[in-house]
Amino acid sequence: MSSIKKQITVATSQERAFRVFTDGIDRWWPREHHIGASPMERAIIEPFAGGRWYSRCQDGSEVNVGRVLTWEPPAHLVLTWQITADWRFDPDFVTEVEVSFIAEGPRSTRVELEHRHLERYGEAAAKMIAVFEGPEAWVRTLGLFGGATTAPKYVMTYESTATSRAAAPMHFPAHRERLDQFHRRGTLLMVGNLVGPSGRALGVFTTRQAAEEFIAGDPFVEHGVVTGHTIDEWNEVLA
């Protein structure tokens, strides 16, 4: 069996490393590593065995990469890579990408990746092994993943009053679902109320864009439960 193996150690927990790799793949997957005719809008791995690994394109079309064979958070993931040597998806062609997340400490995780069954490329196997071993393939991709685990964080704060908070129970279920949605993506790291009677709450996001996107569709904002918001880099708002 022909395969290549790469690894990276990231300064984050095993659980978060798995989440950033899977739910958060759209944050770091290279946009040029895409076979669709239209530019990639979002990269997606569905979070269950049998789920799809695919890209959604800007024109609304979808392009398959493979599927999920093994889903064992936070330690183990196996995906199929069903892209042929001429860079087309083929449902009858299957190689496998196995990713292991090994905790080396509370904030240190070794991520080991093996892309195997490369002999299935037949006459093109040597060429494809050279491509996957090259600096622009899995080496760069894992580097971008590592960068996503340590990127600067952004703190969103909300302001509210006793009057506006009275409407919170009505809209809280939809607000909570939006929080859960961004957490599943790996773009919302934590959320909570600040101590004291100020009526301030905060959320910590991986990017400013994620914080802005959250605010734009948050039911608390749409229905006036909160009266203002700010987005600052980590520690600025907590000083």
Side-chain angles (χ1 to χ4, degrees):
M1 180 177 69
S2 297
S3 68
I4 62 167
K5 297 180 180 181
K6 304 295 177 185
Q7 69 176 41
I8 187 174
T9 298
V10 293
T12 194
S13 68
Q14 182 191 41
E15 188 273 340
R16 183 165 176 267
F18 186 94
R19 190 170 71 246
V20 172
F21 196 99
T22 54
D23 293 348
I25 190 171
D26 184 62
R27 290 165 44 204
W28 55 268
W29 186 262
R31 260 30 195 181
E32 66 274 20
H33 290 188
H34 172 62
I35 61 172
S38 173
M40 179 192 297
E41 180 177 85
R42 187 178 175 198
I44 301 166
I45 296 176
E46 294 180 332
F48 51 86
R52 296 169 63 204
W53 177 12
Y54 68 102
S55 300
R56 184 172 296 135
C57 304
Q58 292 181 8
D59 66 358
S61 62
E62 295 180 350
V63 179
N64 288 320
V65 177
R67 64 184 186 278
V68 180
L69 293 182
T70 303
W71 181 268
E72 296 176 349
H76 191 215
L77 175 73
V78 181
L79 306 166
T80 64
W81 174 277
Q82 296 178 247
I83 308 299
T84 64
D86 59 357
W87 304 105
R88 297 178 183 274
F89 175 78
D90 182 346
D92 297 320
F93 176 78
V94 178
T95 65
E96 295 178 1
V97 178
E98 180 174 18
V99 190
S100 299
F101 301 82
I102 302 154
E104 296 189 328
R107 294 185 180 275
S108 180
T109 305
R110 186 172 75 254
V111 180
E112 298 180 347
L113 182 148
E114 179 182 13
H115 192 170
R116 60 187 179 227
H117 298 304
L118 300 181
E119 75 281 355
R120 294 176 181 173
Y121 281 104
E123 294 181 355
K127 180 189 76 172
M128 296 305 294
I129 290 171
V131 169
F132 292 128
E133 284 279 17
E136 293 300 312
W138 286 119
V139 169
R140 176 169 177 258
T141 301
L142 283 179
L144 292 171
F145 156 71
T149 67
T150 58
K153 310 303 185 294
Y154 291 85
V155 178
M156 172 205 72
T157 55
Y158 276 161
E159 302 284 348
S160 63
T161 66
T163 300
S164 65
R165 287 197 296 274
M170 180 183 304
H171 304 291
F172 181 77
H175 171 71
R176 177 58 187 269
E177 172 56 31
R178 189 159 181 83
L179 290 172
D180 290 345
Q181 176 187 5
F182 278 68
H183 178 70
R184 289 192 296 268
R185 289 185 190 174
T187 56
L188 173 63
L189 303 180
M190 62 173 286
V191 66
N193 296 321
L194 296 180
V195 175
S198 64
R200 298 177 71 202
L202 64 79
V204 181
F205 291 83
T206 54
T207 66
R208 181 178 293 274
Q209 179 182 1
E212 292 173 347
E213 181 185 354
F214 178 87
I215 290 169
D218 180 20
F220 272 13
V221 174
E222 294 175 342
H223 297 282
V225 176
V226 295
T227 57
H229 59 264
T230 60
I231 301 173
D232 300 280
E233 286 200 27
W234 184 265
N235 286 331
E236 290 181 9
V237 72
L238 303 177

